[in-house]
Amino acid sequence: MAGDARAPRAPRLTLRIRLTAILGLVALLLVGTLGAQLVLQSRQRDIRNELLERVDPALVALGDLRAGLVDQETGVRGYALAGDPRFLEPYERGQGAAADATSRLAELLDDSPLADEVRTVDELTESWRVEIAEPSIAATQQGTGSAATDE
């Protein structure tokens, strides 16, 4: 039997080694899944905090700004049409509300690309006051016309 040269057999893995390898792989997958879950929960918490602390208050301030601007416009139009000084109350109240809302927006969005938009809205609002509202109020006080209704 000298001609019977058997090829060396690869060592066979025992059942214990195979089970240990499978359980190790499952444990590794579980630890990886847990790590990914913790990272995702942390990111979700950060996004939720951003929404609750900045986005929601900014939306409320934006609604307040809109209401303040509408009050101003309504007051100027009412005063220009009727000439009754009581109609200037919404205009004055709207100026305060718009200024408060603009400052809240600027504070909430100070490091955001939207900060430039807030400044633009504030500049346009001031321009409207100087070019439209105040001349309309002055013209109505002098009895010389209704510039607010024309504009």
Side-chain angles (χ1 to χ4, degrees):
M1 296 227 166
D4 273 341
R6 291 187 180 180
R9 282 176 68 187
R12 296 189 80 182
L13 298 176
T14 64
L15 181 60
R16 175 178 285 172
I17 292 173
R18 285 187 271 177
L19 284 176
T20 302
I22 289 172
L23 289 175
L25 181 62
V26 168
L28 185 62
L29 288 173
L30 284 174
V31 168
T33 302
L34 178 63
Q37 179 66 28
L38 291 174
V39 167
L40 291 174
Q41 281 181 334
S42 173
R43 179 72 178 131
Q44 180 184 17
R45 183 189 65 238
D46 293 344
I47 291 171
R48 185 183 62 239
N49 287 343
E50 174 81 9
L51 283 171
L52 293 175
E53 294 171 4
R54 288 184 62 177
V55 175
D56 283 348
L59 287 172
V60 170
L62 187 61
D64 293 346
L65 175 60
R66 183 180 184 280
L69 295 175
V70 168
D71 281 350
Q72 290 179 62
E73 191 257 345
T74 301
V76 170
R77 283 187 184 272
Y79 182 65
L81 290 171
D84 187 346
R86 289 182 297 171
F87 284 105
L88 289 178
E89 290 173 14
Y91 173 71
E92 293 164 357
R93 186 178 55 241
Q95 280 183 312
D100 290 344
T102 300
S103 67
R104 284 195 330 251
L105 279 170
E107 181 181 319
L108 289 166
L109 303 174
D110 64 347
D111 60 347
S112 165
L114 296 175
D116 291 337
E117 300 295 327
V118 172
R119 281 189 289 279
T120 301
V121 167
D122 192 38
E123 290 168 4
L124 290 171
T125 301
E126 184 61 29
S127 174
W128 174 82
R129 272 191 218 111
V130 170
E131 296 173 12
I132 306 295
E134 292 172 4
S136 296
I137 292 170
T140 302
Q141 287 171 342
Q142 296 169 0
T144 59
S146 58
T149 56
D150 293 342
E151 293 293 331

